[in-house]
Amino acid sequence: MSQQGKPTVVVIGNGMVGYKFCEKLIAKTAAFQLVVFGEEPRRAYDRVHLSEFFNGKSAEDLSMSTEEWYAENNIVLHLGDSVTDINRKDKVVYSLHDVAQPYDYLVFATGSSAFVPDVPGVEKEGVFVYRTIEDLELMQAYAKIARKGAVMGGGLLGLEAAKALIDLGLEETHVVEFAPRLMPRQVDSVGSNMLQAKLEELGLQMHLQKSTTNILGDGKIDGLQFADDTLLQVDMLVISAGIRPRDELAKKAGLEVGPRGGIVVNDRMQTSDDHIFAIGECALHEGMIYGLVAPGYEMADTVATLLCQGEKLFTGYDMSTKLKLIGVDVASFGDPFVSEPDARTIAFEDKNKGIYKRINLSTDGKYLLGGVLVGDAAAYNILLQTVNNKLTLPPNPEDLILGSRGGEGDTGAGVMSLPDEALICSCESVTKGDICSAVTEDGVSSLEGMKKCTKAATCCGGCAPLVKDLISETLKANGAYVKNNVCEHFDFSRQELFDLLKLNNIRTYDEALDTFGKGDGCESCKPTIASILASLWNDVIAKQSTIQDSNDRYLANIQKGGTYSVVPRIPGGEITPEKLIVIGQVAQKYGLYTKITGGQRIDLFGAHVSDLPDIWEELIDAGFESGHAYGKALRTVKSCVGSTWCRFGLQDSVSFAIEVEDRYKGIRAPHKLKGGVSGCIRECAEAQSKDFGIIATEKGYNLYVCGNGGSKPQHAQLLATDIDKDTCIKYLDRFLMFYINTADALTRTATWLNKLDGGMAYLKNVIINDSLGICEQLEQEMQSLIKNYHCEWKEVVQNPELRKGFAHFVNAPREKDPQVKLAPMRGQVKAMEW
Amino acid sequence: MEVAVLTSVEWVLVCKTYDVPQNGGACVKHHDEQIAIYNFSRRGEWYATQNLCPHKQQMVLSRGMIGSTGDTCEPKVACPFHKKTFSLLSGECLSGDDYQIKTYPVQVVGDEVFIGFEK
């Protein structure tokens, strides 16, 4: 008993499972005093995402809890201290640092260590295991002097470790595997081969069926010798050949352990001593060690439930798994290997794209038994649910891996056929019923809300797509989610609103809300309608400043720390020395950081909101105009120097770029627009990565549309060939206006085209053949927008009432925000970290 | 006998009604404090909160868009940085995080706007 008279539970080990046990017990009861011993120097951290440590995540980012959490829940945490002895008779544990801690219940959560095979030379410098943050720190330090690295072990952990070596920047990364293929425990041989091909494409070198007999080198590793007498030169080795349960303390205390390691437990997770439990990777249940986190959490829950007098048994756990190995999706579920005559298999192999999918059906074809996915594991969650819940298969089960071909896709509909008890988030034991009732009863409508409400998708995150589908399908079933509405205030899509506002000649947001909406608006519908109004009428947006997104309200881009950046228009990237000098002088005067942008202009960062009108006054005096870098509007038309200077140039690309940029400047669209003009096929202006791109040919120009860079780059597609300048502009007018009239809010041209029924062929028909008979109207609408062009900043600078809106303090307009802090960097300034 | 505890409030004149844009916000300074004040003219209501968004510690809430949410039309403001939204009534974060911002009472007399500070 502890001092407060509560029974004491001592937990040995502060890994993921040990931590989860504490969390689960605390959630159920405050009746116990918890004492935790952890031999590592830090609090429990997320070992599943360990490789992200090399992608810049810190140890603290990976941490599963805070110091305060332990204090708040009155948990005594001994870090950097391991238990060395147990007196089971008197129920006391003794630690390395001489703590004597009595217990009522003892929980082993000692986890596992890396299994290091008995190969001569494993003690050499440059040989590592991949298990803890300390291991990673050692690898990180050594990688600086290493060029070639190898991983021993081609299983799940080994490939994770190989990813780590790639992230560390080694020139060569080798994987050495004893078996004839990769991931032999999870994936069948066809899947292994596909995975191997994909990984080799990504630069990994595979050495299969290799048994390492010697680690070579004088003091430090310089090579591996294999049983077939071949050699591999490496100067760094990571051993990842499996795990070994940490059962040495249990053994010393006289508890029963398995012949090949592991503390023997029953279905209650009790060891051979009723008051001592073992959970996670150190526990041996029915001859099985579970090396995944989800079953460990289930064991933790079992013990926590039993301690609260509840009844729960652990009866084995599904070892299905899905992971992304160096960018390649791999999943294995149910029984991945069962085959004829005990099952019927359906397999799909696409060597071109590196995709392999296999499902195993029961012999009557009614049920799914398991399968393997490589290269595309999008269907994993629903397939796993189909196995676990013994769902009856549809008449064409091949649709499960091929997708339904022809007709409307019914993706997502499948989730609703799951029974309520289907386990969706296995880490946090959240069922479909829990998620649906959170939507129906508690009004949860987003993934974030669901995480808060049920904890689903908060651990490994693998179930997040399924959770999202369930939320939207449940909303749909409840009739709440009808279509692609702008937000809760308007039951219309952007395109519907666009037409309504146009037909009813609506010019202000308030009119729109009163006529077609309800409530008081929000941060979704306000900027959407602001953009539609701008696309329709091209009025001065500053006159309705409070419905604009922040950047449009202040006509500048808000940056870290609350300052703004300023981008004057530099059409086609052409600028005179005089204008360059003015930009330099303005930057000097207002203390701004200057940088050349990707669109051939100059960005000035770090402006106080209250300085913006003064800065622009000076820029406008020098002949500059707003660059609309803050708006969903035309940004730049990038150009190469073209025939005026370049010896390859076929046309004057700079002049054309300037003409096009000046034509469409200030036009607002559902998303930003970028253009490019190249003087020849060498394409130095990168026009094919833009929303519209023009490339000079000997006969005229080729026009490309609907490309973009960003997170999902997509090349623009050819709309017309060898057209003259006027035709090019005519098609561009039509194309841009058609996009503005029909795209959803915040949809770039590339995504818009991808969603357009009929795709590029249809677009060509509309723009070139006028198949809808709207081209004349589109051209007129564009003319009217061009006619109404005005420089927004000029309007503000000349209008004292609008200028007033840029004060930081309305009751002290001359004072700047004292919270703005800038730090020096390479002779300029930068924003302070947040 | 029950004694009601009345916290005394000091009303401070901070700006004129026309200083704050309709259906939008502005920032006022009171000693070292920055306060965001919102003119919810559509509803004929005024609100005030701290100007600091607790998510990334930025002094910007006054530059956010205001609006309403849910059947009760709870008034809210969205931070311009990452669109975290906060109730203008309770200061509670409405986008699922555990943040809480301070709110202040507002009184309008004629064209003068007063904020109430606890003494």
Side-chain angles (χ1 to χ4, degrees), chain A residues 649-662:
Chain A
L650 296 171
Q651 312 278 356
D652 179 0
S653 47
V654 179
S655 299
F656 198 19
I658 294 172
E659 185 183 336
V660 172
E661 183 162 342
D662 277 334

Side-chain angles (χ1 to χ4, degrees), chain A residues 452 488-489 513-514 519-521 523 526 546 549-550 553-554 559 561-562 564 808-811 815 817 834, chain B residues 14 19 21-23 25 27 29 34 42-43 58-59 63 65-70 76 80-81 83 85 96:
Chain A
K452 203 178 162 194
E488 58 174 295
H489 303 107
L513 186 58
D514 291 337
D520 305 304
E523 69 282 1
K526 284 184 174 183
T546 56
D549 241 328
S550 185
R553 175 169 173 191
Y554 293 97
Q559 307 289 358
Y564 288 83
H808 181 70
F809 297 114
V810 288
N811 60 346
E815 278 183 47
D817 179 4
W834 58 19
Chain B
V14 291
D19 286 332
Q22 297 211 338
N23 295 309
C27 174
K29 184 178 146 87
Q34 297 197 17
R42 184 180 168 79
R43 298 159 58 130
Q58 303 285 306
M59 279 293 184
R63 300 178 203 167
M65 267 179 277
I66 59 173
S68 70
T69 184
K76 62 169 185 174
F81 270 98
K83 297 272 163 78
T85 55

Side-chain angles (χ1 to χ4, degrees), chain A residues 193-242:
Chain A
N193 292 341
M194 191 68 83
L195 176 64
Q196 184 183 344
K198 288 287 274 186
L199 295 178
E200 281 171 346
E201 242 173 60
L202 295 165
L204 279 184
Q205 302 187 38
M206 304 293 176
H207 307 269
L208 303 175
Q209 268 182 298
K210 292 280 184 189
S211 161
T212 311
T213 51
N214 210 341
I215 294 170
L216 308 171
D218 183 16
K220 60 182 182 186
I221 178 172
D222 60 22
L224 297 175
Q225 182 166 24
F226 302 123
D228 58 6
D229 279 341
T230 53
L231 291 176
L232 177 66
Q233 275 195 346
V234 288
D235 33 29
M236 184 167 175
L237 175 69
V238 181
I239 297 180
S240 185

Side-chain angles (χ1 to χ4, degrees), chain A residues 276-381:
Chain A
I276 303 181
F277 299 87
I279 55 179
E281 292 179 333
C282 65
L284 182 69
H285 178 263
E286 301 276 338
M288 176 96 179
I289 297 282
Y290 289 88
L292 294 176
V293 70
Y297 285 3
E298 186 66 12
M299 295 177 186
D301 194 52
T302 305
V303 178
T305 307
L306 288 172
L307 289 180
C308 298
Q309 310 303 320
E311 190 53 40
K312 174 161 183 169
L313 298 178
F314 179 88
T315 52
Y317 203 86
D318 178 44
M319 290 296 277
S320 300
T321 182
K322 174 187 154 182
L323 67 163
K324 202 173 200 85
L325 285 168
I326 320 175
V328 184
D329 280 328
V330 182
S332 154
F333 54 95
D335 186 341
F337 300 118
V338 64
S339 59
E340 285 78 8
D342 302 320
R344 300 183 194 166
T345 57
I346 299 177
F348 167 74
E349 195 179 351
D350 177 349
K351 286 193 176 157
N352 176 37
K353 288 187 180 154
I355 293 171
Y356 171 68
K357 300 177 184 185
R358 162 182 173 171
I359 49 176
N360 308 320
L361 317 183
S362 58
T363 45
D364 56 9
K366 275 191 184 155
Y367 301 103
L368 187 61
L369 303 176
V372 175
L373 303 170
V374 175
D376 171 12
Y380 169 73
N381 280 310

Side-chain angles (χ1 to χ4, degrees), chain A residues 80 102 262 378 466 469 524 744 761:
Chain A
L466 200 51
D469 281 350
S524 295
D744 274 334

Side-chain angles (χ1 to χ4, degrees), chain A residues 667-681:
Chain A
I667 286 173
R668 279 191 157 65
H671 211 306
K672 63 183 170 189
L673 287 168
K674 298 179 176 184
V677 182
S678 278
C680 79
I681 194 63

Side-chain angles (χ1 to χ4, degrees), chain A residues 43-78:
Chain A
R43 296 185 309 279
Y45 54 87
D46 182 355
R47 248 182 262 271
V48 174
H49 296 106
L50 202 57
S51 64
E52 291 176 20
F53 185 72
F54 291 138
N55 293 340
K57 280 217 177 180
S58 68
E60 197 56 41
D61 291 334
L62 292 172
S63 188
M64 301 186 66
S65 67
T66 60
E67 227 171 296
E68 291 78 46
W69 183 82
Y70 287 93
E72 275 163 24
N73 292 297
N74 207 18
I75 299 173
V76 181
L77 176 63
H78 299 280

